[in-house]
Amino acid sequence: MFQVINHTLIKVFILVGCTWIALGCTPQETLPLETTTHSFANSSATLTMPAGPVPVEQAMVIELSLPPLVKPGLSQVEGVSMYMGSVPLLWKENDTGDWQTTLYLGACTEPRMLWRLTIPLIRPAETGAESLSLTFESVAN
């Protein structure tokens, strides 16, 4: 009799524990982030991204406006304060002719972190390497 009750209690505790863990791992609703605009090269390129410091562990949409015939190459975000590897960013052209990507920064042991976004620019019939670079800060939630 006690073994049946013990097995039942163990199953109940396991079920409650798994439910508690699942609820804790459910993604939180993300609120729209305030954005800021950065201009480069005499305002011919404009980058719109969340205003700093940006939160970690939250998807952030970044938009890029470039002159005609200029395209962004494979971009990357690298940690400046601490080595965190690099996060590659692929850009997609939207209906307005601007470019858009989504960045997701992971958490770090430091509550505040400096990052560098580098965007190579591709121009037809040009061999020179040109890129945009921006340093920004993140903060743990």
Side-chain angles (χ1 to χ4, degrees), residues 17 25 27 29 32 34 36 42 52 79 81 85 92-93 99 107 116 139:
C25 293
E29 182 180 328
E34 179 183 346
T36 186
N42 299 325
S81 304
K92 292 187 179 185
E93 193 170 11
W99 299 87
R116 180 176 301 112
V139 65

Side-chain angles (χ1 to χ4, degrees), residues 72-122:
L74 177 63
S75 303
Q76 65 181 8
V77 174
E78 296 177 298
V80 174
S81 304
M82 170 186 282
Y83 178 75
M84 299 283 289
S86 65
V87 178
L89 296 175
L90 289 172
W91 297 89
K92 292 187 179 185
E93 193 170 11
N94 61 23
D95 296 338
T96 64
D98 290 335
W99 299 87
Q100 189 173 3
T101 190
T102 302
L103 172 62
Y104 187 90
L105 293 173
C108 179
T109 57
E110 295 184 24
R112 294 181 99 64
M113 177 82 180
L114 281 179
W115 301 89
R116 180 176 301 112
L117 167 62
T118 305
I119 306 168
L121 300 178
I122 301 169

Side-chain angles (χ1 to χ4, degrees), residues 29-63:
E29 182 180 328
T30 57
L31 301 174
L33 300 172
E34 179 183 346
T35 60
T36 186
T37 301
H38 305 274
S39 295
F40 303 90
N42 299 325
S43 300
S44 64
T46 305
L47 180 74
T48 303
M49 64 180 292
V54 299
V56 296
E57 297 182 336
Q58 182 174 339
M60 297 176 283
V61 175
I62 301 174
E63 295 180 350

